[in-house]
Amino acid sequence: MQKESIWITGASGKIGKAIMNRLKKQVDYRVVGTDLDVDITDQDAVEQSMDVYRPNIVINCASLSDAYYCEDHMIEAFRVNALGARNLAAACRQHNAKLIHLSTDDVFCGDGSHGKTEFDVPTPRTVYGKSKLAGENFVKELTPKHLIIRSSWVYGGKGDYISSILEKAERGEEITAPLDQISSPTSTEELAHFIEVMLDKKEYGIYHASCEGACTRHEYARTILHLAGYDPNLEHGTYNEKDGAIATTLLENLMLKMTGIYDMPPWREELERYMGKYIKND
Ligand SMILES: NC(=O)c1ccc[n+]([C@@H]2O[C@H](COP(=O)([O-])OP(=O)(O)OC[C@H]3O[C@@H](n4cnc5c(N)ncnc54)[C@H](OP(=O)(O)O)[C@@H]3O)[C@@H](O)[C@H]2O)c1
């Protein structure tokens, strides 16, 4: 049987690395990962890489994902998140490759009391969210064999939210987290597993893939402290949104539920599993 050839961009980022780790163990796949060595904003570099790697599937994890940085660097944010996605989509179309493109709950503006489905109209409020939506639109317009996967509050790997909370606790620093931001923490490993399941499925379009249930950042931070053996009371809740608003960016995994392809686990259960595996509790 011929091996699937997979090109992962942003392969040393949080999600890219988890997918690499998962797929490189499988004999059925020939996987190549790139980062800034193939700048996705460079159309020629993308086309040359397609010629060299000849992938059946491209997984685009390359992104400018720091929302605060994006707010102050709009051109750079759109160049990577929108033009980069455009370059990959056009190249995938030309080579008849499937494009799996990672996106975010930030394409919604955070005003929802209910979970947003794949059929809700995105109305981003941040530069990051707008640039990611522009990337999604290029993907939809330029290549029919695409899968857009949106997730939220992704943890796992160096520099993630869990590490930042635990480093502060270790140093005895003050820890604060917003009481007025609500979403669903989701692990890179769960996302990587879901993406592996989708590789050989003839499923196209947008899929939401967040862990089930929701919490405030405050509850999330306290749960991390508790699971790592620290006193949860080390963390204090703050209010970050203006005028008493609550920023809720809940994704409803409606496509997953309708197709029955994959069950995302409850966020707390997955966080417990992850922390039990990677974080020492002494
Ligand atoms: N993290 C989350 O909470 C979250 C939630 C929902 C959705 N997502 C989505 O998931 C995807 C991956 O996120 P992540 O958290 O894994 O991001 P990440 O850790 O910041 O990784 C992004 C990777 O892209 C690389 N990159 C940046 N600009 C590039 C360019 N021009 N060409 C090639 N590579 C480039 C980065 O390289 P350098 O580090 O060397 O710059 C980095 O390795 C993104 O689409 C993001 O929107 C993330």
Side-chain angles (χ1 to χ4, degrees), residues 13-15 35-36 39-40 62-63 65 102-103 128 132 151 154:
K14 285 187 283 304
I15 297 174
D35 263 284
L36 291 178
D39 181 351
I40 62 163
S63 167
S65 317
L102 270 295
S103 193
Y128 172 59
K132 292 297 293 183
S151 193
V154 176

Side-chain angles (χ1 to χ4, degrees), residues 1-7 27-31 54-57 98 199-201:
M1 197 181 85
Q2 196 168 4
K3 288 187 176 189
E4 287 278 24
S5 178
I6 300 173
W7 173 25
V27 290
D28 294 340
Y29 306 125
R30 188 166 59 83
V31 187
R54 303 220 151 262
N56 313 103
I57 300 170
K98 174 171 172 173
L199 289 178
D200 60 0
K201 295 260 183 298

